[in-house]
Amino acid sequence: MGGYAWVTLATTDSYSLGALVLAHSLKQVGTKHQLAVLITPGVTNPMRNKLKEVFDLVEEVNILDSKDETNLKLLKRPELGITFTKLHCWRLTQYEKCVFLDADTLVLENCDELFERDELSAAPDVGWPDCFNSGVFVYCPSNQTFSNLIQFALDKGSFDGGDQGLLNLYFSDWAHKDIRKHLPFIYNMSSTACYSYLPAFKQFGSNAKIVHFIGGTKPWLQYFDIQTRTVHPSFELQHMKEVLQYWWNIFCNSVHPNLS
Ligand code: UDP
Ligand code: MN
């Protein structure tokens, strides 16, 4: 096998809407690589069919269901199960290298050059820049790494209760070892950072290649006027109106006409 893939995750139908728009945004910029989505049993059948229309691979994962040894250990810690669903991306060993993208990201320009980077490459988190943000990262699928990560999770847990805390402890030399593993911020421009440093956003925002709508205000939760086909963002996302409109344009043109 081999080859490269973009990988995302959706555990619900609403996150699947994000995944669908994300996939179309990747196609729109002409990526050469495959598209894969991990889903959990909570995603409905009609939504799975829509995902299959645009993703090359739709893979169901359920960390608490399978019977192998690592998952049996996890059964004793059910609270970790949901949080670590993202780790399943390491099991896509049919690919040589992947870029994981949260379902609340949107690709604005071709980023195929990301596959030249090594595991684990990611952009700084705006809350604590010595940690990377786990919404966009380059990695190499490996069953060994997957079981190491699960074992590490069981031993050490995650300092923030999520995958980001775990991955930052596991790939703990990211902050200082190799600058090539620090992706420029334009590959994971978080919506909140723009708000806290507006002059920088005005200066550099147009260079963004991947936008990430972190926090509770997701694109699919914004008010959208169907008559005028215009998005009316909530207060925190006013400065992102243009890119949110782009998200909704993709939704209307490529996703909604297909929704049953
Ligand atoms: N996710 C999901 N269902 C959920 C929560 C999260 O599928 O209920 C996936 C989805 O891919 C999402 C990612 O996990 O983008 C990380 O969560 P989120 O983006 O909400 O976290 P944030 O980036 O806001 O910290
Ligand atoms: Mn996110």
Side-chain angles (χ1 to χ4, degrees):
M1 293 295 271
Y4 297 160
W6 302 96
V7 178
T8 189
L9 163 69
T11 66
T12 63
D13 279 8
S14 57
Y15 273 95
S16 298
L17 296 177
L20 284 167
V21 171
L22 170 63
H24 282 288
S25 76
L26 281 160
K27 296 222 163 194
Q28 211 139 310
V29 299
T31 181
K32 292 201 298 281
H33 305 305
Q34 299 259 304
L35 306 183
V37 59
L38 304 175
I39 56 166
T40 54
V43 176
T44 63
N45 279 329
M47 189 57 88
R48 286 168 192 234
N49 292 334
K50 297 303 160 198
L51 291 166
K52 282 178 193 153
E53 285 173 14
V54 59
F55 284 93
D56 302 292
L57 176 75
V58 179
E59 179 101 330
E60 186 179 279
V61 298
N62 189 350
I63 206 156
L64 297 175
D65 254 12
S66 50
K67 302 277 183 288
D68 68 32
E69 201 192 335
T70 41
N71 289 328
L72 282 176
K73 289 183 200 156
L74 261 182
L75 273 176
K76 295 183 194 129
R77 302 277 300 279
E79 82 284 2
L80 292 178
I82 312 252
T83 302
F84 297 141
T85 310
K86 205 189 258 190
L87 302 183
H88 275 279
C89 70
W90 264 275
R91 294 179 104 175
L92 297 175
T93 51
Q94 61 266 57
Y95 305 116
E96 183 189 335
K97 196 186 281 185
C98 297
V99 177
F100 183 91
L101 297 170
D102 267 7
D104 60 346
T105 60
L106 180 67
V107 176
L108 305 178
E109 278 182 38
N110 188 297
C111 300
D112 286 358
E113 69 276 10
L114 281 178
F115 291 92
E116 293 162 19
R117 306 266 177 162
D118 296 330
E119 174 175 282
L120 182 290
S121 295
D125 184 76
V126 291
W128 193 264
D130 273 351
C131 287
F132 56 84
N133 182 279
S134 62
V136 177
F137 60 89
V138 183
Y139 73 99
C140 296
S142 148
N143 287 319
Q144 185 62 55
T145 309
F146 175 74
S147 64
N148 291 349
L149 278 163
I150 296 290
Q151 190 57 52
F152 190 86
L154 292 164
D155 295 344
K156 305 245 164 52
S158 161
F159 65 82
D160 66 0
D163 59 280
Q164 180 161 311
L166 171 75
L167 291 172
N168 271 279
L169 286 182
Y170 187 85
F171 296 101
S172 60
D173 60 8
W174 175 87
H176 53 83
K177 197 169 177 204
D178 180 0
I179 193 67
R180 283 273 306 159
K181 292 184 178 175
H182 281 227
L183 297 181
F185 194 57
I186 54 165
Y187 291 105
N188 186 353
M189 189 183 76
S190 92
S191 42
T192 52
C194 308
Y195 186 63
S196 59
Y197 194 2
L198 219 40
F201 176 60
K202 285 188 177 140
Q203 180 71 24
F204 304 116
S206 60
N207 300 335
K209 291 189 163 199
I210 302 176
V211 196
H212 185 187
F213 297 96
I214 66 171
T217 49
K218 303 303 187 198
W220 53 91
L221 301 176
Q222 304 303 303
Y223 175 69
F224 182 73
D225 185 334
I226 298 168
Q227 304 300 323
T228 60
R229 293 197 155 210
T230 314
V231 67
H232 295 274
S234 57
F235 175 75
E236 319 87 84
L237 284 180
Q238 289 292 332
H239 60 294
M240 304 294 282
K241 186 166 190 271
E242 216 177 310
V243 73
L244 281 166
Q245 185 64 48
Y246 182 64
W247 191 98
W248 277 96
N249 289 346
I250 294 180
F251 182 80
C252 291
N253 296 332
S254 305
V255 177
H256 188 62
N258 298 329
L259 279 181
S260 49

